[in-house]
Amino acid sequence: MTAFNTTRLTFGAILALASSSGLASAQEACSSATIGETPFECLCAGGEPSGTVWGSGPYTSDSAICAAAVHAGAVGREGGLVRVLPGPGLDSYPASSSNGVETRSWGAYGSSFTFKLGRQIAMTAEECSAYPTDAPSYTCSCPPYDDTGSVWGSGPYTADSAICVAAIHAGVISSDGGEVTALLVDGLPSYRGGEANGITTRDWGSYGQSFIFNRN
């Protein structure tokens, strides 16, 4: 039996002790190999996130979980517990930059994952008229579309775009409304508008922050 003194241990020291005791470390528990069909929790060690991530949420299931968690705002660089939600594959995964983590784009991949995030829930169209830029994720209960609200970009969208209208454009909800969760990501040097699902969005130049949607 390993003897422990009363000295406070760093997270890294705890991982080392677990490894030397023959136990699976928390970082190993967050490896992509653990992703199946059932949601699970695992611990991410603190420090600079490492590993490659494809997508912007959902992420390909072979992405580095802890780096993806920092990108999604599910955990900070101090590390901590994350809840991983496995999901179906997508036809494509867009790249983006968020919280200092750059992700890569990818084509079709057979499985994915997202995170269960602490969220603010907005219930009115006015509250969802733009993204509150102090929140890593923001959930809106969107009313039926009433033909109001401007959107810039085609995903990511500028942070001052109407979230519910952008959600219809992105195909996350229909014009009948519904609940959507937006995720804050870094701004882009330019945004290209387009038409989708009966919504026409606009072009814009540089903007400081953007949002995308959690499709899980």
Side-chain angles (χ1 to χ4, degrees):
M1 179 179 294
T2 303
F4 292 89
N5 61 30
T6 57
T7 303
R8 178 174 292 177
L9 299 176
T10 65
F11 195 88
I14 293 172
L15 295 182
L17 283 168
S19 178
S20 66
S21 301
L23 302 175
S25 75
Q27 185 63 49
E28 289 171 344
C30 275
S31 71
S32 60
T34 62
I35 296 178
E37 297 181 355
T38 304
F40 64 93
E41 293 180 343
C42 62
L43 281 167
C44 289
E48 194 65 23
S50 62
T52 304
V53 179
W54 294 271
S56 295
Y59 307 93
T60 63
S61 60
D62 61 342
S63 295
I65 293 176
C66 292
V70 174
H71 179 272
V75 72
R77 280 172 168 72
E78 71 279 4
L81 187 71
V82 296
R83 183 164 178 78
V84 182
L85 305 177
L90 301 177
D91 291 335
S92 63
Y93 296 80
S96 65
S97 174
S98 179
N99 300 316
V101 176
E102 298 275 350
T103 68
R104 302 182 184 182
S105 61
W106 194 256
Y109 199 85
S111 56
S112 66
F113 67 89
T114 55
F115 299 97
K116 182 176 181 180
L117 304 174
R119 59 184 187 171
Q120 302 178 33
I121 302 178
M123 302 299 293
T124 69
E126 182 178 359
E127 290 176 303
C128 294
S129 62
Y131 194 100
T133 53
D134 61 341
S137 68
Y138 193 68
T139 297
C140 288
S141 181
C142 296
Y145 180 51
D146 62 359
D147 203 31
T148 61
S150 297
V151 178
W152 294 269
S154 295
Y157 304 93
T158 62
D160 62 341
S161 295
I163 295 174
C164 294
V165 183
I168 298 171
H169 181 269
V172 180
I173 58 172
S174 72
S175 59
D176 294 331
E179 187 174 289
V180 300
T181 297
L183 306 174
L184 186 67
V185 296
D186 288 349
L188 301 177
S190 64
Y191 295 80
R192 177 71 61 86
E195 193 281 330
N197 302 312
I199 302 295
T200 300
T201 66
R202 305 177 184 180
D203 295 341
W204 194 255
S206 178
Y207 201 85
Q209 291 179 306
S210 314
F211 66 83
I212 56 175
F213 291 101
N214 184 340
R215 295 175 179 269
N216 192 57

